[in-house]
Amino acid sequence: MNTTPELSPNAPPVAPPKRSNCCCLGCSLAVVFLLVVLGVGYRICVYAPPLRISEETTRITGPLTRDGQIDFFKALEKLVYPKELATDENGYRLFVRAFGPLDLERLDNLSEADRENYRLQKYEKLGLDPSTLPSLTLPESPYEILKRHYQKEGEDTGPLVNKKLSAPWTLDDLPMLADWLAQIDAPLDVIAEMVRRPVFCSPFLEDPESLRTGKPQDLLSLLLPDVHFFRELARQFQVRALYRIAAGNIDGAIDDAITLLEFGRKAGAQGTVIPLLTGFAMEGQAFLIPLSANPEHQLNAEQMQRFLAAMDALPPRPPLSRYYEAERLTGLSYLQAVLKNGKNSMTEDSTGVMNFSLIICDQNIAYQRVNKMYDEIIDGRIEDSQLDDDGSKFVENYVLRYVWTAKGRGILVAKLFCFLFQPSTEMVEKILRRVECSYQMKRLVLALLRYESEHGKPPDADWPTAIRDYLGDNPDRYFSCPAAAAEPGETTYALVRYADGERPKRLDTLLLVELKEPVPLAEATISAEELLQEAKLPEPQRRIGSRHYNSMNVGYRNGAVEIFSPSSDWTDAQALREKLGLGDPEE
């Protein structure tokens, strides 16, 4: 049954129900509010402004690569290359012309195409004809010769070879080096002349892939084969000097030591920190040469003065600020590569949060903060750029604090960068002070040896006064380690004093050690027995030591100066007694 009421044909139409105006307005406002919130949130939290190439951010504004990025490689070349690079005033240019690119020949992980690419780059930058054949050869390293020999004998080659080639030797000791000895004089003498040119600078080589693709070279992965090759050359000079000492050719050994000092100084002047550290190591090899180790051919006053004069004549080091500017370019090139790739290659502990920070951050802030770190380092002040923990709480202290905005993520990226890169620059200053300390100790050791040769005995407790006349002008500057400045009338070096009748007959025994704290000049001695007792104490309680990081300098009666680790080299009581020339405890 149909119950729907029938409408009259003349009845008016029924109007639909009216909607509330308030409801429509509320929905519109909600949508607008949501859009505003999303827009503000996007602007604050997600939007990252494009990088502005400027002095405040990228530090340099050109040259640019084909894809519009900064070519930090060319900027680094412009900063560090000397004007003599492609002239015969550059000893390295003469070396490549005479010997060829030996550094590249020693790299096993290069394809033949890449090796040839690098070779052509090197010849072009040095202004040489790549078709010119080498006219000289360099014999195989004596270290490799000995390693091969002792491997056949089943010996543990590493420690044994180093021990054999760290003291004066003759062909009776090492007959397997006869061929090396017969061939080495001519090439080393030529190299010594090359080292004495105004500069000895090798050019940087750009990755062939960067050349092919036009992508900027990441300076942190820059190929530096010369760095390792220079160390190999330095070892050959050192080994020859040790042979010359045993043969009584002290003047020849002095020539090799001087060459090593100059080689290290010039190799370390090539603009970046890695060559600088290599140069430091090469200078250290020169100081290790025991010029007075042959009892039948002791250093005389004239020879000592010649060596000291050569030390004074070394070319000055470039200021550290120049190295830090080069490191700035290296760091900024790495930052550019990381931000461009959008990957967290700054740390092995890769997290999604950090990857997100690298992809979506205010790059301008990141660049500015990294530049601020280098500005503070160059100015000698470290403030904001220092991180106040050891990295174990990096996420807790920094990620949760800065990750919420693009600006904050830019700060976060910069803090991670500073945490990883700042310690390396601080390390350079510490190592430089240790090297300067080595120079001072070498002077003091030679002065003590000269006094002993002229007086027939070492000086008494007030040894600084006794040797002042042998130190030249302003002798007081040599008695204080640069890492622990002493007041006038104090010193940070102590003469090792032996009891009557105990003075060792051997020359490879300790003569001078460093002290942690300055003492009056007249009290700067320590007996051999006191030194043995000091070694038994925990490292923090010892007087013997230095402000250098985990290292100190010691001097020997044979004229050598060596770097010691107070935390390890003093723990072997028997080895320490041998260095003091005291023999076994029961003797």
Side-chain angles (χ1 to χ4, degrees):
M1 178 177 178
N2 186 7
T3 59
T4 303
E6 295 183 3
L7 297 178
S8 171
N10 298 323
V14 178
K18 295 182 179 181
R19 294 182 179 179
S20 170
N21 292 332
C22 292
C23 181
C24 292
L25 180 61
C27 290
S28 299
L29 290 175
V31 171
V32 170
F33 178 75
L34 179 60
L35 291 174
V36 170
V37 169
L38 290 176
V40 172
Y42 174 81
R43 184 73 182 184
I44 295 176
C45 300
V46 179
Y47 172 74
L51 175 65
R52 300 185 305 275
I53 294 179
S54 66
E55 185 177 347
E56 290 74 25
T57 54
T58 55
R59 191 65 177 182
I60 57 173
T61 57
L64 300 179
T65 60
R66 285 180 293 194
D67 58 357
Q69 297 185 69
I70 297 293
D71 193 334
F72 286 105
F73 178 83
K74 286 187 172 57
L76 180 65
E77 288 188 306
K78 183 178 179 181
L79 175 67
V80 304
Y81 285 169
K83 65 182 185 299
E84 302 95 343
L85 181 70
T87 74
D88 283 351
E89 295 297 283
N90 179 9
Y92 183 75
R93 182 176 191 264
L94 302 179
F95 177 87
V96 173
R97 185 161 60 198
F99 292 92
L102 294 180
D103 56 311
L104 296 176
E105 294 175 10
R106 283 158 168 74
L107 294 179
D108 299 326
N109 57 344
L110 290 179
S111 68
E112 286 303 316
D114 284 349
R115 192 186 307 276
E116 179 63 8
N117 190 303
Y118 282 127
R119 187 184 79 88
L120 292 176
Q121 280 190 64
K122 177 165 289 192
Y123 275 83
E124 179 183 1
K125 291 179 179 182
L126 293 171
L128 295 174
D129 180 359
S131 64
T132 302
L133 296 177
S135 58
L136 295 172
T137 58
L138 188 69
E140 184 181 12
S141 164
Y143 285 82
E144 295 302 320
I145 296 172
L146 259 63
K147 282 181 182 179
R148 189 166 56 251
H149 172 82
Y150 290 119
Q151 282 173 350
K152 292 179 181 178
E153 301 291 328
E155 300 279 357
D156 184 5
T157 60
L160 181 59
V161 169
N162 289 331
K163 182 177 181 181
K164 292 288 186 180
L165 295 179
S166 63
W169 61 279
T170 67
L171 286 178
D172 290 337
D173 305 315
L174 302 174
M176 69 289 295
L177 293 185
D179 289 342
W180 175 85
L181 191 62
Q183 301 169 28
I184 198 61
D185 281 348
L188 286 194
D189 289 345
V190 170
I191 294 171
E193 290 301 315
M194 296 171 178
V195 166
R196 285 168 173 75
R197 294 288 173 139
V199 298
F200 198 92
C201 180
S202 61
F204 298 126
L205 304 179
E206 191 169 3
D207 191 298
E209 182 180 357
S210 296
L211 292 172
R212 287 191 296 265
T213 63
K215 293 181 180 179
Q217 166 80 53
D218 174 12
L219 297 182
L220 198 65
S221 59
L222 196 63
L223 181 68
L224 297 172
D226 293 304
V227 169
H228 305 290
F229 182 63
F230 289 170
R231 287 293 305 275
E232 179 183 330
L233 282 179
R235 291 189 186 101
Q236 302 223 30
F237 277 103
Q238 184 181 13
V239 172
R240 185 173 73 167
L242 293 171
Y243 172 80
R244 286 176 162 181
I245 290 170
N249 182 7
I250 307 304
D251 284 314
I254 292 174
D255 289 339
D256 285 337
I258 292 172
T259 297
L260 268 182
L261 287 177
E262 191 159 1
F263 195 0
R265 184 65 61 92
K266 290 176 179 174
Q270 299 191 77
T272 61
V273 164
I274 293 178
L276 176 64
L277 297 179
T278 300
F280 286 163
M282 293 164 69
E283 292 176 64
Q285 286 175 269
F287 289 142
L288 273 172
I289 296 173
L291 296 174
S292 196
N294 189 330
E296 298 178 3
H297 300 274
Q298 289 283 282
L299 273 174
N300 57 44
E302 182 181 352
Q303 291 168 331
M304 293 182 192
Q305 192 57 42
R306 182 163 78 89
F307 185 78
L308 293 175
M311 288 172 56
D312 292 334
L314 289 173
R317 300 184 195 279
L320 284 181
S321 59
R322 201 192 82 167
Y323 293 98
Y324 293 152
E325 286 295 350
E327 288 302 300
R328 184 203 299 270
L329 295 179
T330 301
L332 292 178
S333 80
Y334 179 63
L335 185 63
Q336 175 177 260
V338 170
L339 293 174
K340 187 71 174 177
N341 295 333
K343 295 188 299 183
N344 180 19
S345 54
M346 285 188 183
T347 171
E348 295 179 359
D349 185 19
S350 181
T351 65
V353 171
M354 282 306 303
N355 283 334
F356 173 68
S357 299
L358 290 166
I359 296 171
I360 307 177
C361 73
D362 189 337
Q363 296 186 39
N364 299 288
I365 296 296
Y367 276 96
Q368 288 169 13
R369 288 297 186 106
V370 169
N371 272 315
K372 184 174 183 289
M373 178 194 78
Y374 284 108
D375 287 340
E376 291 174 351
I377 290 172
I378 291 170
D379 293 341
R381 53 185 179 84
I382 299 295
E383 297 169 0
D384 263 17
S385 54
Q386 277 192 318
L387 299 181
D388 53 10
D389 59 72
D390 61 0
S392 60
K393 298 182 179 180
F394 186 86
V395 173
E396 176 184 337
N397 290 357
Y398 299 107
V399 172
L400 298 179
R401 179 178 172 186
Y402 292 106
V403 76
W404 310 110
T405 67
K407 178 180 178 180
R409 291 190 293 274
I411 296 174
L412 180 62
V413 168
K415 282 189 173 289
L416 177 59
F417 180 97
C418 296
F419 175 75
L420 295 174
F421 283 79
Q422 181 185 306
S424 64
T425 57
E426 295 177 338
M427 176 188 67
V428 171
E429 296 189 27
K430 294 177 181 178
I431 295 177
L432 175 58
R433 287 193 289 269
R434 188 187 70 198
V435 172
E436 291 174 343
C437 177
S438 298
Y439 273 85
Q440 295 191 177
M441 182 170 279
K442 190 74 171 182
R443 287 181 180 276
L444 296 177
V445 165
L446 293 180
L448 287 166
L449 295 180
R450 183 173 176 183
Y451 179 94
E452 185 171 348
S453 68
E454 292 182 0
H455 294 79
K457 62 176 184 178
D460 57 18
D462 192 8
W463 59 271
T465 299
I467 65 172
R468 289 174 68 87
D469 292 342
Y470 304 134
L471 296 175
D473 297 334
N474 192 16
D476 291 335
R477 57 182 165 161
Y478 301 121
F479 293 113
S480 175
C481 169
E487 297 293 329
E490 295 181 331
T491 182
T492 53
Y493 303 112
L495 178 69
V496 179
R497 186 180 69 253
Y498 295 87
D500 293 341
E502 282 191 5
R503 187 178 171 201
K505 297 179 180 179
R506 295 192 349 254
L507 294 172
D508 58 339
T509 52
L510 287 172
L511 177 66
L512 209 60
V513 296
E514 282 197 80
L515 300 172
K516 290 180 181 177
E517 300 297 334
V519 299
L521 292 173
E523 300 174 13
T525 61
I526 183 169
S527 70
E529 193 57 43
E530 287 174 325
L531 200 150
L532 289 171
Q533 295 302 318
E534 285 271 331
K536 297 177 183 179
L537 298 175
E539 198 275 331
Q541 299 179 20
R542 298 179 197 154
R543 290 182 299 152
I544 304 300
S546 73
R547 303 285 181 87
H548 310 307
Y549 175 70
N550 195 32
S551 63
M552 59 179 285
N553 289 310
V554 296
Y556 292 88
R557 293 180 61 232
N558 60 19
V561 169
E562 184 181 18
I563 297 172
F564 252 47
S565 172
S567 60
S568 60
D569 287 322
W570 297 102
T571 56
D572 188 337
Q574 177 55 29
L576 182 57
R577 292 187 67 87
E578 290 179 1
K579 288 184 178 297
L580 291 168
L582 300 181
D584 296 326
E586 63 270 13
E587 290 181 355

